[in-house]
């Protein structure tokens, strides 16, 4: 019998890793997972913000792990520090815009290092060290940019498309252990990352295009929590669009 059948949306007693937990979608996911009963391992680069987030989480048993996950030593330190995980949320990411005529090697390397290589290499290390428990759920934060490809997002969109494609293969590989792997693909979300792009992209106008209105980080966190919970135990190898109906006409 499913041990979470009484309330399949709860995460009681589960160990959940959240990367990028010091702000934005990662912070919102960490907060919601804690309220739903999980013990959270929060990872981020900014020690002060991360400690503040962890200190304010509901419940107990949470911990902070400071580190830049593009650094192999930081990834190894995280793998060594975590218990067997029942859920992982790979939310750390970076966005930078450049039309193709202005793309540089540094632009490509930075975006792929953070958005693709770091979560994939961390996943590999966690699996190799058996830090992901049977029946666990892995959730990767992608972006609808992989489908809609807004102006000047060619490399950013490429990192997210690569992430989603790899997660589909990963889901097949880990299915025998009952492990699930999915993506959440947000539209334009009101986060510090989106605000940082305001000078080069009218993000406010983009958000207004969504029929259902502005998406908050907490809205994306709810989709993440669903994919972590046993309510979605038959859901794997897919991508959940959280876009306020923005791309309904192109799907």
């Amino acid at each position: 019998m499913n041990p979470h059948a009484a309330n399949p949306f709860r995460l009681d007693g589960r160990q959940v890793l959240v990367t990028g937990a010091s702000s934005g979608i990662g912070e919102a996911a960490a907060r919601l997972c804690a309220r739903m009963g999980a013990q959270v391992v929060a990872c981020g680069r900014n020690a002060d913000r991360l400690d503040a987030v962890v200190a304010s989480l509901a419940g107990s048993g949470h911990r902070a792990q400071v580190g830049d996950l593009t650094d192999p030593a930081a990834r190894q330190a995280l793998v060594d520090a975590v218990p067997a995980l029942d859920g992982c949320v790979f939310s750390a990411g970076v966005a930078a815009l450049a039309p193709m005529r202005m793309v540089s090697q540094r632009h490509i390397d930075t975006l792929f290092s953070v958005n693709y290589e770091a979560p994939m290499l961390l996943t590999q290390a966690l699996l190799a060290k058996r830090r992901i428990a049977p029946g666990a759920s892995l959730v990767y934060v992608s972006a609808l940019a992989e489908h809609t490809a807004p102006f000047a997002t060619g490399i950013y969109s490429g990192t997210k498309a690569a992430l989603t494609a790899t997660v589909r293969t990963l889901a097949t590989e880990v299915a025998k252990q009952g492990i699930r792997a999915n993506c959440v693909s947000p539209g334009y979300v009101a986060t510090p990352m989106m605000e940082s792009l305001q000078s080069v992209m009218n993000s406010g106008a983009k958000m207004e295009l969504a029929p259902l209105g502005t998406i908050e980080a907490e809205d994306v966190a709810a989709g993440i929590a669903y994919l972590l919970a046993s309510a979605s135990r038959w859901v794997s190898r897919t991508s959940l669009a959280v876009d306020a109906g923005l791309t309904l006409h192109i799907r």
Side-chain angles (χ1 to χ4, degrees), residues 9 17 23 30 35 64 70 99 110 117 127 141 174 180 185 199 229 244:
F9 295 94
L17 167 67
S23 67
R35 290 199 301 273
T70 64
T110 297
E117 293 176 12
L127 288 169
V141 178
V174 299
R180 299 181 292 116
S185 292
S199 62

Side-chain angles (χ1 to χ4, degrees), residues 13-226:
R14 299 193 184 186
Q15 297 283 341
V16 176
L17 167 67
V18 181
T19 73
S22 58
S23 67
I25 292 171
E27 177 182 350
R31 293 188 184 282
L32 182 54
C33 287
R35 290 199 301 273
M36 295 177 69
Q39 290 185 323
V40 176
V41 180
C43 182
R45 293 183 296 178
N46 187 299
D48 292 339
R49 287 206 310 259
L50 190 66
D51 287 341
V53 169
V54 171
S56 66
L57 294 180
S60 61
H62 312 299
R63 69 186 80 175
Q65 182 72 27
V66 179
D68 180 348
L69 295 179
T70 64
D71 178 3
R75 288 197 301 270
Q76 189 59 54
L78 175 59
V79 172
D80 292 340
V82 297
L85 297 166
D86 304 296
C88 298
V89 181
F90 300 90
S91 182
V94 64
L97 306 183
M100 195 54 63
R101 63 183 175 83
M102 297 178 64
V103 165
S104 65
Q105 185 69 54
R106 181 179 180 183
H107 180 80
I108 294 173
D109 291 346
T110 297
L111 266 62
F112 268 92
S113 177
V114 176
N115 294 347
Y116 180 77
E117 293 176 12
M120 288 297 97
L121 290 171
L122 177 57
T123 300
Q124 183 278 330
L126 289 168
L127 288 169
K129 294 295 184 181
R130 301 185 184 276
R131 291 294 199 271
I132 298 177
S137 175
L138 311 179
V139 183
Y140 299 79
V141 178
S142 185
L144 279 176
E146 67 168 300
H147 301 295
T148 59
F151 179 78
T153 66
I155 304 305
Y156 174 76
S157 299
T159 66
K160 295 302 187 178
L163 180 69
T164 301
T166 303
V167 170
R168 286 198 295 267
T169 297
L170 170 67
T172 302
E173 294 177 358
V174 299
K176 288 184 178 180
Q177 290 78 48
I179 299 170
R180 299 181 292 116
N182 293 286
C183 290
V184 169
S185 292
Y188 296 106
V189 184
T191 63
M193 179 186 290
M194 185 61 66
E195 291 176 8
S196 71
L197 299 176
Q198 184 64 37
S199 62
V200 291
M201 178 183 72
N202 189 346
S203 56
K206 298 287 188 182
M207 292 179 184
E208 291 174 2
L209 295 174
L212 293 178
T214 301
I215 306 169
E216 302 291 342
E218 291 76 13
D219 302 317
V220 183
I224 291 170
Y226 163 70

